[in-house]
Amino acid sequence: MRTALITGGSRGIGAAAVRAFARAGFRAAFFYRADEAAAQTVARETGAAPIRCDVSDPDRVCKACAEAEKTLGHIDALVNNAGIAQQKLLTDITDEDWRRMLDVNLSGAFYVTRAVLPGMISLKSGSIVNVSSVWGQVGASCEVHYSAAKAG
């Protein structure tokens, strides 16, 4: 059976991706950071396995990806969807704002991809989709750090 792992799968685009994979006959797992109730709702609707994971934490990502691989058997498809947004003037963005945005929106995709790629290489098969934003192509006022992370 085909399998998929979706990050940020408890709401929005991520939840829609979990539902689409389930409808297409995939066994799925998804990462969520905090909203247990939303994660359980998506899990009940789709049969997908919810796994709590802050993608900005590389150690937690390794553990969560291992849990997903154990649950699914292997990972055929990865959707890097987890992300955050924040609107602030460039002059008001703190160092912590900048780091958090890049850690979640850019480093998170790297950490998850790095963790699942050996399994895909071993199987000589796999697909990875990175969800971005139009603001990563053209930039957005009051979202400099978001635009930079999505461009990455």
Side-chain angles (χ1 to χ4, degrees):
M1 176 173 269
R2 296 176 301 169
T3 63
L5 172 62
I6 300 94
T7 68
S10 64
R11 59 190 183 88
I13 293 169
V18 174
R19 290 179 185 106
F21 276 104
R23 279 192 307 273
F26 281 69
R27 287 187 56 223
F30 66 93
F31 290 172
Y32 70 99
R33 187 180 62 81
D35 192 342
E36 179 78 27
Q40 290 304 321
T41 297
V42 172
R44 276 191 305 276
E45 291 174 5
T46 64
I51 300 170
R52 186 182 296 264
C53 181
D54 180 345
V55 298
S56 71
D57 179 343
D59 292 331
R60 181 62 192 126
V61 165
C62 286
K63 290 174 183 148
C65 286
E67 183 178 342
E69 288 178 336
K70 182 178 179 186
T71 299
L72 300 174
H74 66 282
I75 296 171
D76 292 309
L78 167 64
V79 178
N80 283 308
N81 171 70
I84 59 171
Q86 181 185 50
Q87 292 185 335
K88 279 190 172 181
L89 294 172
L90 175 63
T91 53
D92 295 335
I93 296 171
T94 66
D95 291 347
E96 178 55 31
D97 293 334
W98 178 262
R99 275 190 295 278
R100 182 73 181 147
M101 188 67 64
L102 289 167
D103 285 348
V104 173
N105 291 1
L106 183 57
S107 297
F110 168 74
Y111 297 146
V112 177
T113 300
R114 179 177 64 184
V116 304
L117 195 57
M120 290 180 172
I121 291 171
S122 174
L123 293 172
K124 296 180 175 48
S125 178
S127 298
I128 299 169
V129 174
N130 296 315
V131 177
S132 188
S133 169
V134 67
W135 298 137
Q137 296 177 354
V138 298
S141 64
C142 298
E143 292 185 289
V144 171
H145 53 336
Y146 176 82
S147 296
K150 290 299 185 173

Short mmCIF file of all heavy atoms in Angstrom, two decimals, residues 8-57:
data_model
loop_
_atom_site.label_atom_id
_atom_site.label_comp_id
_atom_site.label_asym_id
_atom_site.label_seq_id
_atom_site.Cartn_x
_atom_site.Cartn_y
_atom_site.Cartn_z
N GLY A 8 2.29 19.54 9.35
CA GLY A 8 1.26 20.57 9.48
C GLY A 8 -0.09 20.06 9.01
O GLY A 8 -0.84 20.77 8.35
N GLY A 9 -0.42 18.82 9.37
CA GLY A 9 -1.59 18.17 8.82
C GLY A 9 -2.88 18.31 9.61
O GLY A 9 -3.87 17.68 9.26
N SER A 10 -2.90 19.12 10.64
CA SER A 10 -4.11 19.20 11.46
C SER A 10 -5.09 20.28 11.02
O SER A 10 -6.22 20.33 11.51
CB SER A 10 -3.74 19.41 12.94
OG SER A 10 -3.10 20.66 13.12
N ARG A 11 -4.67 21.15 10.10
CA ARG A 11 -5.58 22.21 9.67
C ARG A 11 -5.17 22.73 8.30
O ARG A 11 -4.09 22.40 7.81
CB ARG A 11 -5.64 23.35 10.68
CG ARG A 11 -4.32 24.02 10.94
CD ARG A 11 -4.39 24.98 12.14
NE ARG A 11 -3.13 25.67 12.32
CZ ARG A 11 -2.79 26.81 11.74
NH1 ARG A 11 -3.63 27.42 10.94
NH2 ARG A 11 -1.62 27.36 11.96
N GLY A 12 -6.03 23.52 7.70
CA GLY A 12 -5.72 24.21 6.45
C GLY A 12 -5.28 23.29 5.32
O GLY A 12 -5.85 22.23 5.10
N ILE A 13 -4.25 23.74 4.60
CA ILE A 13 -3.73 23.00 3.46
C ILE A 13 -3.27 21.61 3.87
O ILE A 13 -3.50 20.62 3.16
CB ILE A 13 -2.58 23.78 2.79
CG1 ILE A 13 -3.10 25.06 2.16
CG2 ILE A 13 -1.85 22.92 1.76
CD1 ILE A 13 -2.00 26.03 1.71
N GLY A 14 -2.63 21.50 5.01
CA GLY A 14 -2.15 20.20 5.48
C GLY A 14 -3.27 19.21 5.71
O GLY A 14 -3.18 18.04 5.30
N ALA A 15 -4.34 19.64 6.38
CA ALA A 15 -5.48 18.76 6.61
C ALA A 15 -6.13 18.36 5.29
O ALA A 15 -6.54 17.20 5.11
CB ALA A 15 -6.50 19.43 7.53
N ALA A 16 -6.21 19.29 4.36
CA ALA A 16 -6.75 18.98 3.03
C ALA A 16 -5.87 17.94 2.33
O ALA A 16 -6.38 17.04 1.66
CB ALA A 16 -6.87 20.25 2.19
N ALA A 17 -4.56 18.04 2.50
CA ALA A 17 -3.65 17.06 1.90
C ALA A 17 -3.85 15.69 2.53
O ALA A 17 -3.89 14.68 1.82
CB ALA A 17 -2.20 17.52 2.05
N VAL A 18 -3.99 15.64 3.86
CA VAL A 18 -4.24 14.35 4.53
C VAL A 18 -5.52 13.73 3.97
O VAL A 18 -5.55 12.54 3.63
CB VAL A 18 -4.33 14.53 6.06
CG1 VAL A 18 -4.73 13.21 6.73
CG2 VAL A 18 -3.01 15.03 6.64
N ARG A 19 -6.56 14.53 3.85
CA ARG A 19 -7.84 14.02 3.32
C ARG A 19 -7.69 13.53 1.88
O ARG A 19 -8.23 12.49 1.51
CB ARG A 19 -8.91 15.10 3.41
CG ARG A 19 -9.33 15.40 4.85
CD ARG A 19 -10.40 16.51 4.91
NE ARG A 19 -10.69 16.84 6.28
CZ ARG A 19 -10.30 17.95 6.90
NH1 ARG A 19 -9.61 18.88 6.24
NH2 ARG A 19 -10.60 18.15 8.16
N ALA A 20 -6.95 14.27 1.07
CA ALA A 20 -6.77 13.89 -0.34
C ALA A 20 -5.99 12.59 -0.45
O ALA A 20 -6.35 11.72 -1.26
CB ALA A 20 -6.06 15.01 -1.10
N PHE A 21 -4.95 12.43 0.33
CA PHE A 21 -4.19 11.18 0.30
C PHE A 21 -5.05 10.02 0.76
O PHE A 21 -5.02 8.93 0.17
CB PHE A 21 -2.91 11.27 1.15
CG PHE A 21 -1.76 11.90 0.42
CD1 PHE A 21 -1.37 13.21 0.69
CD2 PHE A 21 -1.04 11.18 -0.52
CE1 PHE A 21 -0.30 13.80 0.03
CE2 PHE A 21 0.04 11.75 -1.20
CZ PHE A 21 0.40 13.06 -0.92
N ALA A 22 -5.84 10.22 1.80
CA ALA A 22 -6.73 9.16 2.30
C ALA A 22 -7.74 8.76 1.22
O ALA A 22 -7.95 7.56 0.98
CB ALA A 22 -7.44 9.62 3.57
N ARG A 23 -8.33 9.76 0.55
CA ARG A 23 -9.29 9.46 -0.54
C ARG A 23 -8.62 8.70 -1.68
O ARG A 23 -9.27 7.90 -2.36
CB ARG A 23 -9.92 10.75 -1.06
CG ARG A 23 -11.06 11.28 -0.23
CD ARG A 23 -11.83 12.38 -0.95
NE ARG A 23 -10.99 13.46 -1.43
CZ ARG A 23 -10.63 14.53 -0.72
NH1 ARG A 23 -11.05 14.68 0.52
NH2 ARG A 23 -9.85 15.46 -1.23
N ALA A 24 -7.33 8.98 -1.89
CA ALA A 24 -6.60 8.32 -2.98
C ALA A 24 -6.11 6.92 -2.59
O ALA A 24 -5.43 6.26 -3.38
CB ALA A 24 -5.42 9.20 -3.42
N GLY A 25 -6.43 6.50 -1.37
CA GLY A 25 -6.07 5.15 -0.96
C GLY A 25 -4.74 5.01 -0.26
O GLY A 25 -4.27 3.89 -0.03
N PHE A 26 -4.11 6.11 0.10
CA PHE A 26 -2.84 6.05 0.83
C PHE A 26 -3.09 5.81 2.31
O PHE A 26 -4.08 6.29 2.87
CB PHE A 26 -2.10 7.39 0.72
CG PHE A 26 -1.39 7.63 -0.56
CD1 PHE A 26 -2.08 7.83 -1.75
CD2 PHE A 26 0.00 7.68 -0.60
CE1 PHE A 26 -1.42 8.07 -2.94
CE2 PHE A 26 0.67 7.93 -1.78
CZ PHE A 26 -0.04 8.13 -2.95
N ARG A 27 -2.19 5.09 2.96
CA ARG A 27 -2.11 5.10 4.43
C ARG A 27 -1.29 6.34 4.76
O ARG A 27 -0.27 6.59 4.12
CB ARG A 27 -1.39 3.85 4.95
CG ARG A 27 -2.25 2.60 4.83
CD ARG A 27 -1.61 1.39 5.49
NE ARG A 27 -1.33 1.67 6.89
CZ ARG A 27 -0.20 1.32 7.51
NH1 ARG A 27 0.75 0.68 6.87
NH2 ARG A 27 -0.04 1.58 8.78
N ALA A 28 -1.72 7.10 5.74
CA ALA A 28 -1.05 8.37 6.00
C ALA A 28 -0.77 8.57 7.48
O ALA A 28 -1.45 8.02 8.35
CB ALA A 28 -1.89 9.53 5.47
N ALA A 29 0.23 9.39 7.73
CA ALA A 29 0.53 9.92 9.05
C ALA A 29 0.72 11.41 8.85
O ALA A 29 1.09 11.87 7.76
CB ALA A 29 1.78 9.29 9.64
N PHE A 30 0.47 12.17 9.90
CA PHE A 30 0.70 13.61 9.78
C PHE A 30 1.23 14.16 11.09
O PHE A 30 0.96 13.65 12.16
CB PHE A 30 -0.57 14.34 9.35
CG PHE A 30 -1.71 14.31 10.34
CD1 PHE A 30 -1.88 15.32 11.28
CD2 PHE A 30 -2.62 13.26 10.33
CE1 PHE A 30 -2.92 15.29 12.18
CE2 PHE A 30 -3.68 13.23 11.22
CZ PHE A 30 -3.83 14.24 12.17
N PHE A 31 2.03 15.22 10.94
CA PHE A 31 2.57 15.92 12.09
C PHE A 31 1.68 17.09 12.43
O PHE A 31 1.11 17.74 11.54
CB PHE A 31 3.97 16.46 11.80
CG PHE A 31 5.05 15.42 11.67
CD1 PHE A 31 6.32 15.79 11.23
CD2 PHE A 31 4.82 14.08 11.95
CE1 PHE A 31 7.32 14.87 11.11
CE2 PHE A 31 5.83 13.14 11.82
CZ PHE A 31 7.09 13.53 11.40
N TYR A 32 1.56 17.36 13.71
CA TYR A 32 0.88 18.55 14.20
C TYR A 32 1.69 19.03 15.40
O TYR A 32 2.38 18.24 16.05
CB TYR A 32 -0.57 18.26 14.59
CG TYR A 32 -0.71 17.40 15.82
CD1 TYR A 32 -0.99 17.99 17.06
CD2 TYR A 32 -0.55 16.03 15.77
CE1 TYR A 32 -1.10 17.21 18.20
CE2 TYR A 32 -0.66 15.25 16.90
CZ TYR A 32 -0.93 15.84 18.11
OH TYR A 32 -1.03 15.07 19.24
N ARG A 33 1.63 20.33 15.67
CA ARG A 33 2.45 20.86 16.75
C ARG A 33 1.71 20.93 18.07
O ARG A 33 2.22 20.52 19.09
CB ARG A 33 3.00 22.24 16.39
CG ARG A 33 4.00 22.78 17.42
CD ARG A 33 4.53 24.14 17.04
NE ARG A 33 3.50 25.14 16.99
CZ ARG A 33 3.00 25.78 18.04
NH1 ARG A 33 3.43 25.52 19.24
NH2 ARG A 33 2.06 26.67 17.88
N ALA A 34 0.47 21.45 18.08
CA ALA A 34 -0.14 21.73 19.37
C ALA A 34 -1.62 21.41 19.48
O ALA A 34 -2.08 21.06 20.56
CB ALA A 34 0.07 23.21 19.73
N ASP A 35 -2.37 21.51 18.41
CA ASP A 35 -3.82 21.41 18.51
C ASP A 35 -4.28 19.96 18.47
O ASP A 35 -4.63 19.42 17.41
CB ASP A 35 -4.48 22.23 17.39
CG ASP A 35 -5.97 22.42 17.59
OD1 ASP A 35 -6.58 21.67 18.38
OD2 ASP A 35 -6.52 23.34 16.95
N GLU A 36 -4.29 19.34 19.64
CA GLU A 36 -4.67 17.93 19.76
C GLU A 36 -6.08 17.67 19.24
O GLU A 36 -6.33 16.67 18.57
CB GLU A 36 -4.56 17.50 21.23
CG GLU A 36 -4.94 16.07 21.50
CD GLU A 36 -3.88 15.07 21.12
OE1 GLU A 36 -2.69 15.43 21.12
OE2 GLU A 36 -4.25 13.93 20.81
N ALA A 37 -7.01 18.57 19.56
CA ALA A 37 -8.41 18.37 19.14
C ALA A 37 -8.51 18.37 17.62
O ALA A 37 -9.19 17.50 17.03
CB ALA A 37 -9.31 19.45 19.74
N ALA A 38 -7.87 19.32 16.96
CA ALA A 38 -7.90 19.36 15.49
C ALA A 38 -7.24 18.12 14.90
O ALA A 38 -7.73 17.54 13.93
CB ALA A 38 -7.22 20.63 14.97
N ALA A 39 -6.13 17.69 15.49
CA ALA A 39 -5.43 16.50 15.00
C ALA A 39 -6.32 15.27 15.13
O ALA A 39 -6.39 14.44 14.20
CB ALA A 39 -4.13 16.31 15.77
N GLN A 40 -7.01 15.14 16.23
CA GLN A 40 -7.88 13.98 16.43
C GLN A 40 -9.06 14.00 15.46
O GLN A 40 -9.49 12.94 14.99
CB GLN A 40 -8.36 13.90 17.88
CG GLN A 40 -7.24 13.53 18.85
CD GLN A 40 -6.55 12.23 18.50
OE1 GLN A 40 -7.17 11.26 18.08
NE2 GLN A 40 -5.22 12.22 18.65
N THR A 41 -9.56 15.18 15.15
CA THR A 41 -10.65 15.29 14.17
C THR A 41 -10.19 14.79 12.80
O THR A 41 -10.88 13.99 12.16
CB THR A 41 -11.14 16.75 14.07
OG1 THR A 41 -11.68 17.12 15.34
CG2 THR A 41 -12.19 16.92 12.99
N VAL A 42 -9.02 15.25 12.35
CA VAL A 42 -8.50 14.81 11.05
C VAL A 42 -8.23 13.31 11.09
O VAL A 42 -8.53 12.59 10.13
CB VAL A 42 -7.23 15.60 10.66
CG1 VAL A 42 -6.58 15.03 9.41
CG2 VAL A 42 -7.56 17.08 10.47
N ALA A 43 -7.68 12.82 12.18
CA ALA A 43 -7.39 11.39 12.30
C ALA A 43 -8.68 10.56 12.20
O ALA A 43 -8.71 9.54 11.51
CB ALA A 43 -6.67 11.11 13.62
N ARG A 44 -9.73 10.99 12.89
CA ARG A 44 -11.01 10.26 12.84
C ARG A 44 -11.60 10.27 11.43
O ARG A 44 -12.12 9.26 10.95
CB ARG A 44 -12.02 10.87 13.82
CG ARG A 44 -11.90 10.37 15.23
CD ARG A 44 -13.08 10.79 16.10
NE ARG A 44 -13.32 12.22 16.10
CZ ARG A 44 -12.68 13.10 16.89
NH1 ARG A 44 -11.75 12.69 17.72
NH2 ARG A 44 -12.98 14.37 16.83
N GLU A 45 -11.50 11.41 10.75
CA GLU A 45 -12.06 11.53 9.39
C GLU A 45 -11.33 10.68 8.37
O GLU A 45 -11.93 10.24 7.39
CB GLU A 45 -11.99 12.99 8.93
CG GLU A 45 -12.91 13.94 9.65
CD GLU A 45 -12.67 15.39 9.22
OE1 GLU A 45 -11.86 15.64 8.29
OE2 GLU A 45 -13.30 16.27 9.82
N THR A 46 -10.02 10.50 8.57
CA THR A 46 -9.18 9.93 7.51
C THR A 46 -8.54 8.59 7.85
O THR A 46 -8.06 7.91 6.94
CB THR A 46 -8.04 10.91 7.18
OG1 THR A 46 -7.21 11.06 8.33
CG2 THR A 46 -8.58 12.25 6.72
N GLY A 47 -8.47 8.27 9.13
CA GLY A 47 -7.74 7.07 9.54
C GLY A 47 -6.24 7.30 9.59
O GLY A 47 -5.47 6.37 9.86
N ALA A 48 -5.79 8.52 9.33
CA ALA A 48 -4.36 8.85 9.37
C ALA A 48 -3.88 8.90 10.82
O ALA A 48 -4.64 9.19 11.74
CB ALA A 48 -4.10 10.19 8.69
N ALA A 49 -2.60 8.63 11.01
CA ALA A 49 -2.00 8.63 12.34
C ALA A 49 -1.45 10.01 12.68
O ALA A 49 -0.57 10.52 11.99
CB ALA A 49 -0.86 7.61 12.39
N PRO A 50 -1.96 10.64 13.74
CA PRO A 50 -1.44 11.94 14.15
C PRO A 50 -0.19 11.76 15.01
O PRO A 50 -0.15 10.90 15.90
CB PRO A 50 -2.59 12.52 14.98
CG PRO A 50 -3.28 11.33 15.55
CD PRO A 50 -3.12 10.23 14.54
N ILE A 51 0.84 12.56 14.73
CA ILE A 51 2.09 12.50 15.49
C ILE A 51 2.46 13.92 15.88
O ILE A 51 2.64 14.78 15.00
CB ILE A 51 3.22 11.86 14.66
CG1 ILE A 51 2.83 10.43 14.25
CG2 ILE A 51 4.53 11.89 15.43
CD1 ILE A 51 3.76 9.80 13.23
N ARG A 52 2.58 14.18 17.17
CA ARG A 52 2.95 15.52 17.64
C ARG A 52 4.43 15.77 17.32
O ARG A 52 5.28 14.96 17.67
CB ARG A 52 2.72 15.67 19.13
CG ARG A 52 2.95 17.11 19.62
CD ARG A 52 2.76 17.24 21.11
NE ARG A 52 1.40 16.95 21.53
CZ ARG A 52 0.47 17.88 21.73
NH1 ARG A 52 0.75 19.15 21.56
NH2 ARG A 52 -0.73 17.54 22.12
N CYS A 53 4.69 16.88 16.64
CA CYS A 53 6.07 17.19 16.28
C CYS A 53 6.21 18.67 15.94
O CYS A 53 5.49 19.18 15.07
CB CYS A 53 6.51 16.36 15.07
SG CYS A 53 8.22 16.67 14.56
N ASP A 54 7.12 19.33 16.60
CA ASP A 54 7.53 20.69 16.22
C ASP A 54 8.67 20.52 15.23
O ASP A 54 9.77 20.10 15.60
CB ASP A 54 7.98 21.47 17.46
CG ASP A 54 8.42 22.89 17.15
OD1 ASP A 54 8.67 23.21 15.96
OD2 ASP A 54 8.54 23.68 18.09
N VAL A 55 8.42 20.83 13.97
CA VAL A 55 9.42 20.57 12.92
C VAL A 55 10.67 21.42 13.06
O VAL A 55 11.67 21.15 12.39
CB VAL A 55 8.82 20.73 11.50
CG1 VAL A 55 7.71 19.72 11.27
CG2 VAL A 55 8.36 22.16 11.24
N SER A 56 10.65 22.41 13.92
CA SER A 56 11.86 23.23 14.12
C SER A 56 12.86 22.56 15.06
O SER A 56 13.97 23.06 15.23
CB SER A 56 11.48 24.62 14.67
OG SER A 56 11.04 24.53 16.01
N ASP A 57 12.50 21.44 15.65
CA ASP A 57 13.36 20.71 16.59
C ASP A 57 13.91 19.46 15.89
O ASP A 57 13.19 18.48 15.73
CB ASP A 57 12.53 20.32 17.82
CG ASP A 57 13.30 19.53 18.85
OD1 ASP A 57 14.39 18.99 18.54
OD2 ASP A 57 12.80 19.43 19.98
#
